[in-house]
Amino acid sequence: NIFMLSSVHSDRSLHVSGVDISPIWQSVLGAWFLLGVPMVIYAGIGAAFRVESHLTKYILYLLGTLGVVVGWGVVFIKYGNSCITIQSDTPSNYGITQSTPSLVCGVASVMVIFWVVAAACTLLGATYIAWSMKAYIRSRTETELLRYQEPWQVAQVLAQDLAQEKARLMEEASKRSMGSFY
C-alpha cells in the first residue's frame, strides 16, 4: 500500500513496462490503496478483539485488491511492451537481418508477469490468513457460549435433583401420614 501510494502522480502520466497510466487512473488506484490503510487497522482491531465482521470487510478489500492486481496484470500482458524489437535493413555477416535482442525484451516481460503473480499470491496468502482468523473467531465464540451455558446446566440439574428429593420426601410424608390413619 505504501509503495503504491508513494508512486502516484496526479499531474503526469506514469510509464510502466510500456503502459502509460493516466493521472486519473493513478488517483483511482491511490484512493483504493489509501482505503487499505484504515482497513488494515480495522482488521487488526477485529483480530485483537475477536470481531468477525471486521475481518469479513478486510477479506472483501483483499479480494478487491486481488481483482485490481489481476486486472492490471492483464493490461500489462496485453498492452505492455518494455522494449520494441527493431529490425535493421542491413544484413549481418551470414545474411540474417540484425535486430535488438529479443531476450532482453522477453526477460522484462517475464519480470512484469512474475511480479503480478507474486503480488496475487501474496494477496491470496493474506486472504487465507484473514479467513483462517475469521474461522477461529467463529469457533472460539461458539465454545465461549458453551462455557457460559455450563453453569446454567449445572443449576438445572441441581434444581431437578432438589425437586425429585422434595417429591420423594413428600411421598414418604404422605405415606407416613396415611399409615397413621390405618
Side-chain angles (χ1 to χ4, degrees), residues 86-112:
I86 303 171
Q87 290 189 353
S88 167
D89 291 339
T90 59
S92 67
N93 294 342
Y94 301 105
I96 301 172
T97 58
Q98 294 178 342
S99 64
T100 304
S102 62
L103 177 66
V104 174
C105 297
V107 168
S109 297
V110 167
M111 286 306 293
V112 169

Side-chain angles (χ1 to χ4, degrees), residues 46-57:
F49 293 108
R50 295 188 177 120
V51 181
E52 186 178 347
S53 64
H54 288 212
L55 289 171
T56 301
K57 289 177 179 76

